[in-house]
Amino acid sequence: MRSQSLALTAALLAGLTVQPPQESFSSRPDLGAPDALTRFTLDGSGNWEIKDRMLVLAKAGTPGGPFRRPSALAVLQSEPLVRATVQVEMRSTAPEEVKNRDLEIIFGYESPRRFYYVHLAGITDANHNGIFLVDNKDRRRIDDGTAAPQLKDREWHRVRLERDGDSGRIEVFVDGSEQPALHATNTAIRAGRVGLGSFDDTGEFRRFGVAGYAK
């Protein structure tokens, strides 16, 4: 104990910033459990259910409220995470004719008014297929807006999000690609919870897992 105190004192005297150790976090919710839905905080107007070991957004939410933001979120209950790797398989169940279909990974979630989301969609334009920030006002794109559409069909897709709240690094990998399909840097929100959702469509999620470090 004395040696630890001396080391801390020496670091302070040297003008170094001493950071407390971060607590590791890992979760792979059992989506076959009867109470699986209770592991999530449901935010918005969509209808969620557990079916065939999947988290299912069975009825799309309707965007509303004081500013534009996704309308159906299922946020995993946990401590706020500074660093997180999220892996999930997702499938859009929007009708074939819906070309701008979307599904999302939520991260940095502090509240219904403040969070990030990865918006994977069937088209790329100002509001689709990107990385966005909700910060007490209309959602704002924070990537460069040039990524190719990632959700052009109703097939299953493997998605991995890597997020570092200290550096602001955000990278999204799809279907095993070694190069990120979307990327951005932003430090507006350092830590928060993670989840899944959609702006205004339906979809299914399976094999959902999260690993990282709490603040």
Side-chain angles (χ1 to χ4, degrees), residues 8 18 44 113 153 167 182 204 215:
L8 177 60
V18 178
R113 302 175 63 93
D153 53 40
S167 68
L182 300 100
E204 298 172 343
K215 67 177 182 179

Side-chain angles (χ1 to χ4, degrees), residues 31-120:
L31 297 181
D35 63 346
L37 204 55
T38 65
R39 297 290 309 279
F40 296 86
T41 299
L42 305 183
D43 172 357
S45 56
N47 288 346
W48 293 90
E49 60 186 43
I50 299 295
K51 180 180 179 182
D52 299 331
R53 304 190 68 84
M54 298 184 298
L55 177 63
V56 178
L57 179 52
K59 182 180 178 182
T62 301
F67 45 81
R68 290 287 289 178
R69 47 145 284 176
S71 62
L73 313 182
V75 182
L76 184 67
Q77 295 175 8
S78 75
E79 294 297 316
L81 301 178
V82 176
R83 285 186 283 166
T85 296
V86 180
Q87 299 191 72
V88 66
E89 294 182 1
M90 58 175 64
R91 184 175 80 90
S92 172
T93 56
E96 289 283 0
E97 61 270 19
V98 178
K99 301 305 180 184
N100 61 347
R101 64 177 59 88
D102 86 279
L103 293 174
E104 298 172 352
I105 296 179
I106 313 303
F107 62 101
Y109 182 94
E110 288 189 348
S111 73
R113 302 175 63 93
R114 201 159 189 261
F115 59 91
Y116 295 100
Y117 65 96
V118 173
H119 186 283
L120 300 180

Side-chain angles (χ1 to χ4, degrees), residues 84-86 105-107 118 159-163 170-172:
T85 296
V86 180
I105 296 179
I106 313 303
F107 62 101
V118 173
V159 183
R160 183 176 89 252
L161 163 71
E162 295 185 0
R163 146 77 168 172
I170 304 164
E171 294 182 328
V172 185

Side-chain angles (χ1 to χ4, degrees), residues 13 15 82 93 105 108 128 131 136 176:
L13 291 174
V82 176
T93 56
I105 296 179
H128 295 84
I131 303 173
N136 291 299

